[in-house]
Amino acid sequence: MPVNVDTVYQRVLAIANKEQRGYITPQEYALLANKAQLLIFEQYFYDIDKAQEQHGNNTEHSDRMHVLNEKIAPFQNTNVDMATTSGSTMTLPTAVHKLGTVFYNDGTKNIKVERIDAEEAEMMQQTALYTSTQLRPVYVRRTATNLQLYPSTAIPGYATSTVNCNYISKPSQVVWGYTVINSQALYDATTSTDFSLQASEEGELVYKVLELAGVVLNKPGLVQIATNEDTALAAQKQ
């Protein structure tokens, strides 16, 4: 279940008002909420890298890798078709944030396309033993959105129906929708978009937003309060 966008806002306002640190407008909150969500989301990948270096446990709901994979699972997309730009150049789906495995389907099976850099591609073209084949295809990421596949031709050809990929997308943009009544902004669930993160991240979202708000409002005290609480939450995850 995702985190409710209004629940976080009300908790942020309650703490800020209690500490007499100033009011956070809906517009400010929307910007800070999206920044906070993305910071937490990006941290998952660093945490996974660290968790792989440590021993886990056999407890289903407390193994760190299992927990982190569960958090990322809603953003994973598999076997998504790619568009043909021209010849052996393919365009990534627009929602790609972190590209995973690329596949080429030769009509009978999916073949993994290995990623190489541009320098390797040049060497590959000049060395017969090193050159790619239809059974061992490779690709170079030429731009943020385009991949070039080798060999340059294949049967069946590179097309939307034959090249696909796995990738991770970003969380959806958070929106705190509201209507103005008597000069006050009142929450409107019908025009709002909740956080995409798991409900377990509610506390960290609150304190991340508060920390960012303290910087925007130039309230060092609020930053310190939020940082202390955020550090305590992080310590529980160690």
Side-chain angles (χ1 to χ4, degrees):
M1 183 177 180
V3 181
N4 182 270
V5 64
D6 186 52
T7 299
V8 172
Y9 190 26
Q10 297 310 319
R11 288 186 62 188
V12 166
L13 289 178
I15 296 172
N17 291 338
K18 179 182 177 181
E19 301 296 329
Q20 298 182 336
R21 305 294 182 179
Y23 179 69
I24 301 165
T25 68
Q27 293 81 5
E28 290 171 333
Y29 171 64
L31 292 172
L32 300 176
N34 281 295
K35 178 65 175 177
Q37 176 171 244
L38 194 56
L39 285 171
I40 294 171
F41 179 69
E42 292 294 346
Q43 186 62 42
Y44 293 159
F45 303 100
Y46 296 102
D47 291 343
I48 286 176
D49 184 57
K50 185 185 298 183
Q52 289 176 334
E53 300 174 357
Q54 302 172 349
H55 294 293
N57 60 62
N58 295 323
T59 306
E60 181 178 6
H61 300 296
S62 62
D63 178 75
R64 291 191 69 191
M65 282 298 297
H66 176 80
V67 170
L68 288 166
N69 285 329
E70 281 292 304
K71 290 179 178 181
I72 291 176
F75 308 99
Q76 292 178 326
N77 303 267
T78 58
N79 298 326
V80 180
D81 292 340
M82 297 173 62
T84 307
T85 300
S86 63
S88 62
T89 302
M90 305 296 295
T91 301
L92 294 171
T94 56
V96 170
H97 178 53
K98 293 184 181 291
L99 180 62
T101 307
V102 176
F103 297 98
Y104 164 70
N105 190 296
D106 66 357
T108 60
K109 61 184 179 299
N110 269 347
I111 302 171
K112 180 180 177 180
V113 185
E114 181 184 351
R115 178 174 181 170
I116 62 173
D117 59 34
E119 290 77 11
E120 288 180 291
E122 291 300 323
M123 290 178 58
M124 180 186 69
Q125 298 294 83
Q126 300 172 29
T127 309
L129 292 176
Y130 187 54
T131 192
S132 59
T133 68
Q134 189 163 312
L135 293 177
R136 191 177 64 84
V138 297
Y139 76 87
V140 174
R141 190 159 185 174
R142 295 297 184 185
T143 68
T145 57
N146 289 340
L147 309 181
Q148 185 173 356
L149 276 64
Y150 297 91
S152 57
T153 59
I155 300 175
Y158 302 124
T160 299
S161 59
T162 60
V163 182
N164 59 67
C165 64
N166 300 339
Y167 67 87
I168 291 176
S169 55
K170 280 185 179 181
S172 300
Q173 286 283 301
V174 177
V175 178
W176 190 80
Y178 64 93
T179 55
V180 179
I181 299 178
N182 295 328
S183 300
Q184 289 191 338
L186 299 181
Y187 174 63
D188 182 0
T190 63
T191 59
S192 296
T193 302
D194 289 332
F195 292 93
S196 302
L197 306 183
Q198 286 187 352
S200 61
E201 302 291 16
E202 182 179 309
E204 188 163 358
L205 281 167
V206 169
Y207 294 115
K208 274 280 190 291
V209 172
L210 276 171
E211 186 176 353
L212 294 168
V215 174
V216 171
L217 298 173
N218 194 24
K219 301 290 185 179
L222 187 59
V223 174
Q224 189 60 53
I225 291 168
T227 300
N228 291 343
E229 294 293 340
D230 198 23
T231 300
L233 285 173
Q236 294 177 8
K237 298 179 180 181
Q238 299 300 318

